[in-house]
Amino acid sequence: MTANTADFGSNALSALLRALGLVALAIGAALAFFFAFAAAVIVALMVSGAAIAMRLRPRRRDRTVAGPEVLDAHRTPSGWVVETAAKRKS
């Protein structure tokens, strides 16, 4: 079988298209990795910012507004005795 100009051109064109496809695939993969890295950096900054904000924020004290916390309650012959944080000295 002899090779003519049409066969040689089609082989060269096929090789060129395969090379261009590989280059396009490499560029697409590089862009995907770039955007994935950028998204990971943004999420890391958001998480670290939230951690710093939670660390620096003063704590709320809602329990003292609602009333004293009951530590112990027991029944005696004369009635119930409730020991609260304000009463406990030990």
Side-chain angles (χ1 to χ4, degrees):
M1 189 178 246
T2 61
N4 56 19
T5 309
D7 289 336
F8 177 72
S10 68
N11 287 338
L13 185 61
S14 176
L16 177 67
L17 288 176
R18 272 189 259 130
L20 287 177
L22 184 62
V23 168
L25 184 66
I27 290 172
L31 283 173
F33 282 124
F34 172 75
F35 284 117
F37 179 75
V41 167
I42 290 170
V43 168
L45 288 175
M46 289 172 58
V47 168
S48 62
I52 290 171
M54 288 176 64
R55 179 73 175 148
L56 297 178
R57 183 187 67 164
R59 298 186 190 272
R60 292 190 298 180
R61 296 187 179 145
D62 290 339
R63 290 188 212 165
T64 57
V65 175
E69 183 178 346
V70 175
L71 296 179
D72 184 31
H74 55 275
R75 189 173 191 151
T76 62
S78 60
W80 282 93
V81 176
V82 178
E83 180 183 336
T84 61
K87 284 186 176 180
R88 189 171 186 171
K89 300 293 182 183
S90 59

